Amino acid sequence: MKKTLHAVSVLALFIPASAFAQSYPTKPIRLIVPFPPGGANDIAARALNTRLPALLGQNLIIDNRPGAGGNFGAELTAKSPADGYTLLAANNSLITNASLYRKLPYDPFRDFVSIAMIATSPNMVVAHPQLPARNVKELVTLAKSNPGQITYASPGPGTSSHLAGELFRSRTGTNLLHVPYQGAGPLVVDQVGGHVILSFTAPIVSKPHVDAGKLRAIAVTSEKRWQGLPNVPSVAESGYPGFDVYVWVALFAPAGTPRPIIDRVAGDTGKALESAELKQRYAAASIDAPISTPDSLAAFLKNDFALWDKLIKTQGIKLD
């Protein structure tokens, strides 16, 4: 009997991964969201959950695991079995935290495999109406004339909004004063009230107030104009070519997950993102639905890391 069991276990080593993936999935899939409900990560994951389960043939269970700037949920995923039944919906912090923290319990490149991008959104350079500058050129001129006097808010140190602001400072040679908040909610309240002048927030945060006339959109941080605000120029076209910054959310699996499983999830995710229902949900939340492949996402992450790692080290930004 022992010999038979040994023979079976040895044989299993030679069964190609595709054989295991052919029947995948056979049970519900846990999707870890490393942030609280209500944010861009959570909204994108729950929107995806309206279409992806029907394509995969199994339920997608959203598991919010906030903590440590996304590190808790990322570590939990990295240490999960590499069988396709635990996935991660992470954002920019998965990459930037590697530079912001001296030590992480995971490596964003070694411990994860890329699946697909599921949401993107540019940041917006948003101003309170009391600011006399109405475009990037005027903002830069005003900031250089008043170094350290123009404040910009972010939902917290190390967030995509903070880093977008720091990149703007670096590229334009301006001295803006960073004012960190504990979340986007308090930030918007204070900016609408005129307590801080600028922010580099995502449309999901500030666009409703721009539409209502309570805030002014000066520019978007994507290289080209954003379809959600077609009349607002980009920072790049305003005199700073190559400035291309946006918030993203993507799916990842623990390293070692068989490639056929990765391809299955990526393919069905692409189909879900092309559905009219999902596009409608995304449009209502000012989110774009990009289509990517595991390989194109992996290449993007390397470039994204290089950009932010250089900025974070140059500016001396640390979270511990």
Side-chain angles (χ1 to χ4, degrees):
M1 183 63 176
K2 289 183 179 180
K3 289 183 178 180
T4 302
L5 289 175
H6 178 70
V8 171
S9 64
V10 171
L11 180 62
L13 295 176
F14 295 93
I15 299 176
S18 58
F20 292 104
Q22 284 176 357
S23 59
Y24 171 87
T26 59
K27 61 181 181 180
I29 300 167
R30 177 192 190 192
L31 179 58
I32 293 177
V33 177
F35 294 97
N41 266 55
D42 187 68
I43 290 172
R46 292 183 188 278
L48 188 65
N49 198 24
T50 64
R51 294 296 303 157
L52 188 57
L55 295 166
L56 288 172
Q58 288 290 339
N59 289 332
L60 201 64
I61 301 173
I62 307 296
D63 186 4
N64 292 91
R65 293 299 183 103
N71 289 337
F72 180 70
E75 180 185 8
L76 189 62
T77 306
K79 294 180 178 179
S80 296
D83 56 7
Y85 291 101
T86 299
L87 305 178
L88 175 70
N91 66 11
N92 309 55
S93 66
L94 185 71
I95 299 300
T96 58
N97 281 355
S99 302
L100 291 167
Y101 290 85
R102 282 191 291 266
K103 187 176 181 180
L104 286 180
Y106 62 86
D107 183 289
F109 295 102
R110 184 189 64 229
D111 296 332
F112 298 97
V113 58
S114 301
I115 300 177
M117 192 79 82
I118 63 171
T120 60
S121 172
N123 293 90
M124 297 165 55
V125 185
V126 182
H128 186 272
Q130 73 183 32
L131 185 76
R134 304 187 70 87
N135 55 53
V136 170
K137 183 178 180 180
E138 292 178 358
L139 172 59
V140 171
T141 299
L142 185 64
K144 287 184 176 180
S145 301
N146 300 274
Q149 299 301 306
I150 296 178
T151 56
Y152 84 91
S154 81
T159 61
S160 61
S161 294
H162 174 211
L163 296 179
E166 289 301 303
L167 185 63
F168 184 88
R169 280 182 34 166
S170 175
R171 293 283 179 87
T172 61
T174 53
N175 181 14
L176 305 175
L177 179 63
H178 177 224
V179 181
Y181 281 78
Q182 294 296 319
L187 179 162
V188 170
V189 171
D190 267 15
Q191 188 173 17
V192 169
H195 301 294
V196 286
I197 303 302
L198 282 177
S199 68
F200 294 80
T201 44
I204 191 174
V205 174
S206 296
K207 188 174 182 292
H209 302 283
V210 170
D211 293 341
K214 296 179 180 179
L215 296 174
R216 181 194 305 138
I218 290 180
V220 294
T221 62
S222 49
E223 188 170 17
K224 298 179 180 179
R225 295 194 181 200
W226 179 55
Q227 59 183 1
L229 289 170
N231 295 324
V232 177
S234 68
V235 174
E237 72 175 280
S238 301
Y240 300 93
F243 198 104
D244 187 19
V245 177
Y246 51 91
V247 181
W248 54 261
V249 182
L251 292 183
F252 299 88
T257 301
R259 181 62 189 242
I261 290 178
I262 298 298
D263 289 340
R264 170 70 192 279
V265 177
D268 285 348
T269 296
K271 293 175 184 177
L273 292 174
E274 290 177 331
S275 70
E277 179 184 357
L278 204 61
K279 287 182 178 179
Q280 185 177 8
R281 283 176 175 267
Y282 272 27
S286 299
I287 295 173
D288 296 323
I291 303 297
S292 67
T293 65
D295 293 336
S296 67
L297 174 57
F300 163 80
L301 294 176
K302 291 181 179 180
N303 291 331
D304 205 41
F305 175 78
L307 167 68
W308 297 119
D309 185 59
K310 180 180 179 180
L311 177 76
I312 290 167
K313 289 178 178 176
T314 301
Q315 301 297 93
I317 306 169
K318 287 294 179 183
L319 295 185
D320 60 357

